[in-house]
Amino acid sequence: MTDRWGITVPFEGIPLADQRPLFEALPDLGYTDAWSAEANGTDAFTPLALASVWAPRLRLGTAIVPAYTRGPATLAMSAATLAAAAPGRFALGVGTSSNVIVERWNSIPFTEPYKKVRDTVRFLREALTGQKVKADYDTFSVKGFTLGAVPQQQPPILVAALRQGMLRLAGREADGAIVNWLSSEDVRTVAPVVREFGADKEVVARIFAIPDTDAATAREIGRWAISAYLNVPVYRAFHEWLGREELGPMWKAWEDGDRKGALAAIPDSVIDELIVHGPAEYCRERIEAYVEAGVSTPVIAPIAPPSLDPADVIRALAPRR
């Protein structure tokens, strides 16, 4: 069993400035980690900067920062600043993100994603030590950058990975992988690829959870979440690789422009595999199953209905004591 138990921050439905009591309560509830995300809400670093002060016992991580949306030097400075604010307690997760976030929302070409992440990891490995970086990578060049505020402890670097190529990159050149949108059984396929390069490689899994909610409501929330994510090309390819043929009708309807049909085509069984829901005790058992399958750090991502108080959700999903 892991000694880590994480949660995604910040919390939905509460202004960020009002979340301090929730952050402060996490360690006493048994949470060890707080991991941020970055899509169209808060950025990845600001909530963790607040957490470094509000909850100084937590380990902090980004899951993930897109490799495309910050220049290499800016990304290195952001990571170094947070590593200095939380010495020994920060892990930097980077990844491709998706064509939607990179191209449609940020107007940046989503080209050569594997090479972009690989080059970013290689640059960060060197830059975060304070060495002067002058290098031509395949996807960008850096001409004489030296980090001016070098952290005392180098943060581990983790790579968001889905299929084999990126999973191997995470194991070979980074300190581990961040995985997403998979069942506990899928972990048995994914984790060994990362650990081909060392049994100590960390596997962080973001696990979507809806506690203490009736099955019909939870599945409706899950159905919308699955349709929003798993029709994105990178996630579709991931689930095709995993062999999740049950999603074929959803993909077909989506391609045909039939959004309602795509929603209706998602089987309940797939929702139940990919999203933890039910009574709190059952949810905890489901999260522990990810650990038993090979996850080092489970990071819960609550997607509960607005009727549930975020504080109640946090308490419900806290580890057994």
Side-chain angles (χ1 to χ4, degrees), residues 191-320:
V193 181
V194 181
R195 295 195 173 115
E196 289 175 11
F197 303 90
D200 61 341
K201 295 293 181 177
E202 184 170 12
V203 176
V204 177
R206 294 188 72 232
I207 303 168
F208 296 94
I210 311 172
D212 296 330
T213 301
D214 66 272
T217 300
R219 285 172 180 156
E220 185 66 16
I221 295 169
R223 187 166 277 110
W224 281 96
I226 286 171
S227 70
Y229 274 90
L230 302 194
N231 285 295
V232 173
V234 292
Y235 284 107
R236 173 174 174 170
F238 176 46
H239 283 272
E240 288 174 333
W241 174 62
L242 290 171
R244 195 156 274 115
E245 298 177 356
E246 312 95 292
L247 289 175
M250 179 194 73
W251 291 323
K252 177 63 167 60
W254 193 270
E255 287 175 347
D256 293 342
D258 181 5
R259 299 298 187 254
K260 289 184 179 179
L263 277 169
I266 301 170
D268 286 351
S269 60
V270 172
I271 300 170
D272 295 347
E273 287 176 0
L274 300 181
I275 295 175
V276 170
H277 66 90
E281 182 62 23
Y282 177 70
C283 288
R284 285 192 289 270
E285 291 174 0
R286 290 280 312 279
I287 294 164
E288 288 167 356
Y290 281 80
V291 176
E292 292 167 2
V295 166
S296 315
T297 305
V299 177
I300 301 161
I303 52 172
S307 58
L308 287 183
D309 186 325
D312 293 337
V313 172
I314 293 166
R315 283 192 293 270
L317 294 172
R320 293 180 191 165

Side-chain angles (χ1 to χ4, degrees), residues 29 49 108 112 127 132 134 136 151 159 173 176 226 235 237 248 275:
L29 289 171
I108 298 169
E112 298 189 290
K132 185 175 184 178
K134 184 178 181 181
D136 293 317
V159 167
E173 300 205 28
I226 286 171
Y235 284 107
I275 295 175

Side-chain angles (χ1 to χ4, degrees), residues 72-73 118-127 131-146:
R118 182 203 62 195
D119 294 348
T120 299
V121 171
R122 290 177 177 177
F123 164 76
L124 289 168
R125 285 288 198 208
E126 191 169 2
Q131 297 182 59
K132 185 175 184 178
V133 182
K134 184 178 181 181
D136 293 317
Y137 303 94
D138 286 347
T139 57
F140 59 85
S141 295
V142 176
K143 302 186 183 304
F145 171 74
T146 303

Side-chain angles (χ1 to χ4, degrees), residues 37-54:
E38 186 171 285
N40 64 344
T42 60
D43 73 279
F45 291 103
T46 303
L48 299 186
L50 293 170
S52 72
V53 177
W54 290 348

Side-chain angles (χ1 to χ4, degrees), residues 18-80:
D18 296 336
Q19 294 191 21
R20 180 169 187 159
L22 297 180
F23 278 74
E24 290 176 337
L26 293 175
D28 289 336
L29 289 171
Y31 290 98
T32 61
D33 289 55
W35 290 73
S36 62
E38 186 171 285
N40 64 344
T42 60
D43 73 279
F45 291 103
T46 303
L48 299 186
L50 293 170
S52 72
V53 177
W54 290 348
R57 287 184 283 164
L58 292 175
R59 184 172 75 144
L60 313 173
T62 58
I64 51 89
V65 176
Y68 289 90
T69 53
R70 292 173 179 80
T74 300
L75 179 54
M77 288 186 289
S78 296

